[in-house]
Amino acid sequence: MRQRWQRARRAVAGLAVAAMAGGGLTVAAAGPSAAEQDTAHTWTVAGPGGSDLSAELDLDAAGELRLAVDRGGAPVLLPGRLGIRTSLHDLTSGLRLVDRHDRTVHESYRMTTGKQLQRSATMREATLTFAGADGARLGVVVRVSDDGVAYRYVLDDTGPVTVEQEASTFEVPTDAKAWVQPYQPSYETERTETTAGGANAAQPRTCTGDVCSFGYPTLFDVGGTYVLLTEADVDGRYSGSHLDHRDGSSSYQVALADNAPVTAPGPLATPWRTAIVGSLDTLVGSTLVDDLAPPSKIKDTSWIRPGIDDWSWLSDGSSPGNFDRQKDFVDYAAAHGLPYTLVDAGWQASWVPELVRYARARGVDVLLWFDWNDLRTQAQRDSWLPKVKAWGVAGVKVDYMYSDAQSTFQWYDAILRDTAQLKLMIDFHGATIPRGLQRTWPQVMSVEGVRGEENGQNPTRDIFLAFTRNIVGSMDYTPTWFSRPGRQDTAARELALPVVFESGWTSLGDKPEGFATQPVAEDYLEQLPTTWDETRLVSGAPGQQPAGDRQVVMARRNGDRWFVGGILAGAGDTMNAPLSFLGKGPWLLQTVEDAASGGGLQRTVRTVTSADTLSVLAQANGGFAAIACPAVKGRTDCDDPVVTAPATTLTVDPASATAAPGAGVTVGAQFRLPQGDALHQVHMTVDRGRLPAGWTVTGHDVSAGTLPAGRVLSGHWTVTVGKDQPGGTVEVPVWTEYANPAGQGAPPVHVEEVVRVSIPLHGNVYASDQPFLTETNGWGPVERDRSNGETGAQDGNPLTVDGTVYAKGLGMNADARVDIDIQGRCTRFQASVGVDDEVGGKGSVNFTVLGDGHQLAASDVVRGGQPAVGLTADVTGVHTLSLVVGDGGDDKNFDHADWGGARLTCLD
């Protein structure tokens, strides 16, 4: 078969492909003649230009299709089955060729993240159309580039298409060295070095019988050529997949998530089955996964800003629930020029807006963590995402998806659309691996899909990741935790990790006190960007080196500076980094490495050229970090100045006010820079867009082209409450923005205060429409106008007790309590209370109403399946109303308690 494929390659070598100037798609169609359709059973797709890659397809006597890959004429992937089975057609055998078209695909595009911002890709493409035994058509699209081969299926059914199984199989020589990851949807299992045939022994817990499942990307060394298997362009039309392997065999078969069929509207183009092929340099520099993805759906990406954040959860697990402690992390980010702070699980809606205001005044933006269960439905996203955007949050980190199912990819489609519309950046944690997502949706800053720093340390794993997972997209590894108890590596290695690993948002894992113990590292991290113009593998490999250790050195360029990071796993050794990636002339090279003793770091600066080699004597599980910059006259190091936002004051008068519907409040504001260089492009306003419908603002915005220190910028407005505004408290935002002194495209610094306008409660008021002063709940959050549901916000059902549905009310789970400010203006509270029908007759609870801490009314124990009980209380003169649910004397299981129709009668 190999000789026949070589003859076929020569036969098609003369296909004419014309280049279209300026990029885009170039097509030169060439279908087979009638004679060729009857006799040809082998077809070759050669790579572009001087590429040494080719893909060869063969159709055997049974009409079964196979694909192999050669590099430089030598086999890399052996012939592997192709084909697909749908609910209507078996397109795995009995195939015959009916058409072929060839073209060259050339695209130039720009990314917001990744190993290289500006991209250019050229691929030769052949679309071969086959007819099945029943006449159904199967299109096989094959692309070959300088760095790999990919294929996909195209089904032209006009109605819904249900794919039951793919025959897609990669064939790898059994003796090829392999680096595999046992498949779990979290992608958080350890990678193992083994062989292609013996991989199943790596982790039998993901096996069924003699078949084991492995996750992408999977790396093989086939006679010195590396092959990285993965997939690209997966969205809600399909599911993710993984590889199934029978013990001892050479076959790795594509298996759909959960072994479940997928259904999509026709015609259907499946994801790309992708093999990145070449040297380790080729793999590390490959952009093939993104090249195969659809173009960006976002035209204006000016609001998308990768960067470093300090993240408290890893080193200080309880801190995300502590407002004052989060301010410490904001202060640290502000002092060191970090653009973001990330607030993880435990934050409270009651104080996040204030934290955001505190941070933005210091030039720091807040990123906010979410459990995906709180954003799972469209209703949840429509509630939460506009709210956090109004607070001033710059982006969200969403966690715990843990699925490759089609329904999960449909959820990705939806939340990506929603965040793009709101201009919210996003990071997917507890997620699948990237499959070109960051090209199509450039607001995606990073994706976990990795066993990272939070899952314990494994220096060998980190070497593997540089040659596997991080090749296919940004990796939310959460590196750099100097103060980690029992740390298994050196400080220099921790510092190198955010250079070795690419991530659009890099979440540093230590706390301010931990960073402060390593001032040399702080200086380095202040300089570190997260976007790259170029990435180079300098040295290293995933397998053991002759000296018995594993290491990798990576260089990434941002502008005219190269950042270099090297990590080592194993015994101490000399790490050699040839500097041939540097340009002409002399360069300054400042290197940070471990001090000989004491656990600290030391920095050296020297002059080098591209002919030199950097040699660092690394300690066990050690490493180094470096910066190289052109050696211009007068420059003594590679550090750019760290510019931070100056301290300013914005005062509003009054800070709070009371106004009835239709009444006005006069608001004054003064903004001042006490000292320092003058501010520029200063603008002050009342944020009309964040006021409720019906509210109006009169008065003009105030601006100053330059505002010197000591001068006051003043503004005055009248804010009129809407005539239909219900009682409660509304925050009126007043803010000043000025040009960020950091420049370089940094967003304006935003300084904001609010005037809290209290509108007297009047008439009939529903408890679910009022803000909570405090909130506790035994299972997930308290729900407004729906049952408790599960742990996500707004994931409940209509409030229903013994078949009676309530449009308004509160859903809780014992033990639970909410406190509401009713201003001393209400006289009566009433509700119909009981256990929600969603627990199927289970559960037992009791209800209590408190007024300013005193019991006003209480129910007996109410059980699931019983009718609702009426509960009323005289609340005359009460300021704080508390609604409390107990567990009925047993445990809290199934205690879904409804306050149906809970409402207050207040003064007019």
Side-chain angles (χ1 to χ4, degrees), residues 186-204:
S186 67
Y187 294 83
E188 293 182 357
T189 54
E190 292 284 10
R191 294 178 182 270
T192 304
E193 182 176 321
T194 177
T195 62
N200 289 23
Q203 191 60 270

Side-chain angles (χ1 to χ4, degrees), residues 331-601:
D331 291 342
Y332 186 84
H336 294 274
L338 309 183
Y340 299 109
T341 192
L342 170 58
V343 187
D344 213 277
W347 58 266
Q348 297 294 319
S350 59
W351 53 255
V352 165
E354 184 178 351
L355 181 70
V356 172
R357 291 192 291 270
Y358 180 85
R360 295 181 78 187
R362 288 153 180 79
V364 176
D365 276 315
V366 170
L367 312 175
L368 205 57
W369 177 93
F370 275 91
D371 184 324
W372 92 289
N373 284 300
D374 290 337
L375 298 172
R376 187 166 45 85
T377 68
Q378 190 63 55
Q380 290 173 308
R381 294 190 296 275
D382 288 345
S383 174
W384 271 117
L385 295 179
K387 182 184 298 184
V388 301
K389 178 67 176 181
W391 290 348
V393 168
V396 293
K397 171 183 176 179
V398 188
D399 206 347
Y400 301 139
M401 285 72 72
Y402 293 149
S403 171
D404 278 324
Q406 183 180 19
S407 59
T408 305
F409 278 93
Q410 290 169 344
W411 174 84
Y412 282 118
D413 292 345
I415 195 169
L416 287 166
R417 179 196 63 234
D418 294 342
T419 51
Q421 289 175 348
L422 289 167
K423 296 186 176 181
L424 281 169
M425 294 173 283
I426 191 167
D427 166 28
F428 292 115
H429 211 68
T432 189
I433 61 168
R435 295 167 167 91
L437 191 70
Q438 290 175 279
R439 178 185 179 188
T440 309
W441 296 101
Q443 81 270 29
V444 179
M445 292 293 93
S446 195
V447 178
E448 189 182 23
V450 67
R451 188 170 181 83
E453 184 87 348
E454 64 186 81
N455 292 303
Q457 292 184 291
N458 182 337
T460 299
R461 171 221 302 160
D462 293 346
I463 305 295
F464 294 167
L465 292 176
F467 298 103
T468 54
R469 164 63 182 85
N470 208 192
I471 286 176
V472 301
S474 290
M475 186 172 75
D476 190 14
Y477 183 86
T478 61
T480 313
W481 184 4
F482 298 116
S483 63
R484 182 179 198 137
R487 201 181 72 225
Q488 298 177 30
D489 63 354
T490 70
R493 189 180 184 281
E494 283 292 313
L495 182 61
L497 288 174
V499 181
V500 175
F501 297 149
E502 182 273 321
S503 182
W505 279 346
T506 296
S507 298
L508 302 179
D510 215 335
K511 52 192 172 185
E513 298 83 359
F515 286 120
T517 66
Q518 300 289 353
V520 174
E522 289 183 301
D523 292 341
Y524 188 89
L525 293 171
E526 289 175 351
Q527 301 298 314
L528 186 64
T530 65
T531 56
W532 308 107
D533 299 304
E534 194 175 352
T535 291
R536 298 280 189 90
L537 172 63
V538 178
S539 63
Q544 286 192 341
Q545 309 300 301
D549 63 317
R550 294 180 171 94
Q551 57 182 268
V552 59
V553 179
M554 203 77 72
R556 303 185 190 271
R557 181 175 63 84
N558 178 283
D560 68 350
R561 295 193 296 175
W562 283 94
F563 291 78
V564 185
I567 58 175
L568 177 146
D573 195 10
T574 298
M575 302 184 70
N576 293 313
L579 302 177
S580 56
F581 56 87
L582 298 177
K584 296 180 180 180
W587 290 72
L588 286 181
L589 179 69
Q590 58 189 53
T591 307
V592 179
E593 53 192 294
D594 291 300
S597 62
L601 295 167

Side-chain angles (χ1 to χ4, degrees), residues 84-93 132-137 155-165 261-264 266:
I84 196 167
R85 184 177 294 111
T86 74
S87 60
L88 300 177
H89 308 291
D90 184 351
L91 296 169
T92 63
S93 62
D134 61 358
R137 298 295 181 98
L155 304 173
D156 60 3
D157 303 58
T158 56
V161 180
T162 298
V163 175
E164 295 180 339
Q165 188 180 26
V262 296
T263 300

Side-chain angles (χ1 to χ4, degrees), residues 681-771:
Q681 302 175 33
V682 187
H683 184 78
M684 179 191 291
T685 188
V686 172
D687 196 333
R688 297 162 174 83
R690 287 160 58 189
L691 295 177
W695 287 52
T696 60
V697 178
T698 57
H700 299 290
D701 293 357
V702 182
S703 298
T706 300
L707 185 68
R711 184 175 298 176
V712 175
L713 185 69
S714 300
H716 300 276
W717 301 268
T718 297
V719 179
T720 302
V721 179
K723 293 182 179 180
D724 297 325
Q725 179 67 36
T729 300
V730 173
E731 293 184 342
V732 177
V734 181
W735 54 255
T736 302
E737 286 187 344
Y738 60 90
N740 197 315
Q744 299 178 344
V749 178
H750 183 98
V751 185
E752 180 176 306
E753 295 292 342
V754 295
V755 178
R756 291 177 173 82
V757 178
S758 178
I759 298 91
L761 297 174
H762 52 279
N764 290 321
V765 174
Y766 286 102
S768 58
D769 293 334
Q770 299 305 303

